[in-house]
Amino acid sequence: SLGMLPSASIGESGPGVFEPCHGSAPDIAGEDKANPLAMILSAAMMLRYDLSRSDDALILEEAVEAVLDQGLRTPDIKQEGDGCKLVGCTEMGKAVADVVAAMEDKSEISV
């Protein structure tokens, strides 16, 4: 699904441009159907390749993997009979944010 594909345009000098492969998905704007994971993964690429913050990029990548492992799916990746829960853009984004927050809380406790 295009909703899962991050992208980047990185030059030799200056900042890169990081965005989902699917763009802004104007055909489903305002319908809470877009998959936010490509944008989140694009942000992870920005952290890793433009800002040299690989540890933070890994947190985002692991959070995306965790919500997919929890069985959450937006309409573009939901398959009939897969046993996964259909969610919208808002709920998927909140689920990733919640995982990131939990990871941060866990790291603060272990330090």
Side-chain angles (χ1 to χ4, degrees), residues 11-96:
E12 289 186 30
S13 64
V17 175
F18 300 85
E19 62 185 346
C21 190
H22 60 69
S24 61
D27 57 321
I28 56 173
E31 297 181 29
D32 198 34
K33 291 181 181 178
N35 186 335
L37 299 182
M39 186 65 244
I40 294 166
L41 293 171
S42 294
M45 289 176 70
M46 179 184 67
L47 287 166
R48 176 171 283 113
Y49 298 113
D50 246 14
L51 302 174
S52 299
R53 294 174 57 180
S54 294
D55 291 345
D56 293 328
L58 187 60
I59 289 170
L60 291 181
E61 293 161 351
E62 288 178 351
V64 166
E65 186 174 342
V67 298
L68 292 172
D69 287 349
Q70 291 171 9
L72 300 181
R73 300 289 187 271
T74 49
D76 61 311
I77 58 174
K78 178 79 172 89
Q79 296 180 350
E80 188 175 333
D82 64 6
C84 293
K85 178 183 177 188
L86 179 63
V87 298
C89 179
T90 302
E91 189 173 345
M92 182 67 86
K94 183 177 178 339
V96 173

